[in-house]
Amino acid sequence: VAVAVGFIALAGVAAETGVIMLIYLDHAWEEIQAKRRAENKEPGVADLYEAIMEGAVERVRPKMMTVVAIMAGLLPILWGTGTGSEVMSRIAAPMVGGMISSTVLTLAGIPAIYGLVKEFERRRRRARCDWPRMHKELLARGIRVGRKRVRRLMQQHGIRAKTQHKFVVTTDSRHSPAGGPGPGTATFQS
């Protein structure tokens, strides 16, 4: 029972420091995004990693101060020999070991996982945003092409990001009434 109490206390401290790390990472990422928007640029992978480094570095000193303070309080309890020390050492033992692994996880693991998740979200959002924009532009030019055809063309040409590729529309005015833009084809250029 005493060891379970130690694990519960450790889980509370680890969850708190992990959430605070995520707050700092989010804050740094939002600052970089705002800076890139002010420059009329889209934030990239390098900006994401810069934000992760900035946010994680801000948390090193507070995390280390927390760990040192908790360890300084738990080590005398762990090594104590007085009355009731058997129970108290069982509570302190998982907390001492857990604080070490929690520190490594908070300072290295959480920023790495945060970077992977944000990069996945960024790629997914960019891929999802591309085909509707291209479909609307084709319809605005008078070219009737289905959404599935636009998606298929994008997949054939490996297009995912709207800033990496542009598409060219060729129209044939011979087949349209009054010489306006007629049926055409959409092709993509790198």
Side-chain angles (χ1 to χ4, degrees):
V1 174
V3 175
V5 170
F7 276 118
I8 291 170
L10 172 66
V13 172
E16 176 199 359
T17 57
V19 167
I20 291 173
M21 174 63 87
L22 287 175
I23 290 171
Y24 273 77
L25 291 172
D26 274 339
H27 181 67
W29 178 230
E30 288 170 5
E31 280 183 11
I32 297 260
Q33 284 180 323
K35 188 188 307 181
R36 291 296 173 253
R37 284 191 199 113
E39 298 170 353
N40 288 329
K41 293 181 182 177
E42 189 172 334
V45 178
D47 296 322
L48 175 62
Y49 292 141
E50 179 185 340
I52 290 171
M53 291 298 290
E54 183 181 319
V57 166
E58 288 180 10
R59 288 298 305 155
V60 171
R61 186 174 39 181
K63 177 64 178 174
M64 296 310 290
M65 289 170 52
T66 302
V67 169
V68 168
I70 290 174
M71 296 283 272
L74 289 177
L75 287 178
I77 295 172
L78 183 64
W79 292 330
T81 57
T83 306
S85 63
E86 295 94 18
V87 175
M88 293 305 289
S89 66
R90 289 185 186 149
I91 293 174
M95 288 190 69
V96 169
M99 286 308 297
I100 296 168
S101 60
S102 162
T103 302
V104 172
L105 179 67
T106 301
L107 295 178
I110 290 177
I113 293 170
Y114 181 87
L116 291 173
V117 169
K118 287 296 183 181
E119 176 61 21
F120 176 75
E121 287 176 358
R122 194 179 74 80
R123 284 184 181 176
R124 188 170 179 206
R125 184 177 56 246
R126 289 180 72 177
R128 192 176 57 222
C129 291
D130 245 353
W131 73 265
R133 179 187 63 86
M134 291 184 182
H135 184 255
K136 286 179 184 176
E137 193 164 330
L138 288 171
L139 290 176
R141 292 183 185 192
I143 298 172
R144 298 184 56 99
V145 62
R147 293 177 182 173
K148 289 182 181 179
R149 175 73 178 140
V150 173
R151 284 188 202 155
R152 197 174 322 119
L153 281 169
M154 290 176 66
Q155 288 173 351
Q156 287 172 354
H157 294 278
I159 295 174
R160 291 187 172 208
K162 46 186 157 174
T163 56
Q164 293 177 350
H165 304 277
K166 63 180 178 177
F167 65 100
V168 176
V169 178
T170 57
T171 59
D172 190 356
S173 60
R174 291 176 291 163
H175 301 293
S176 67
T185 59
T187 58
F188 296 90
Q189 288 181 337
S190 296

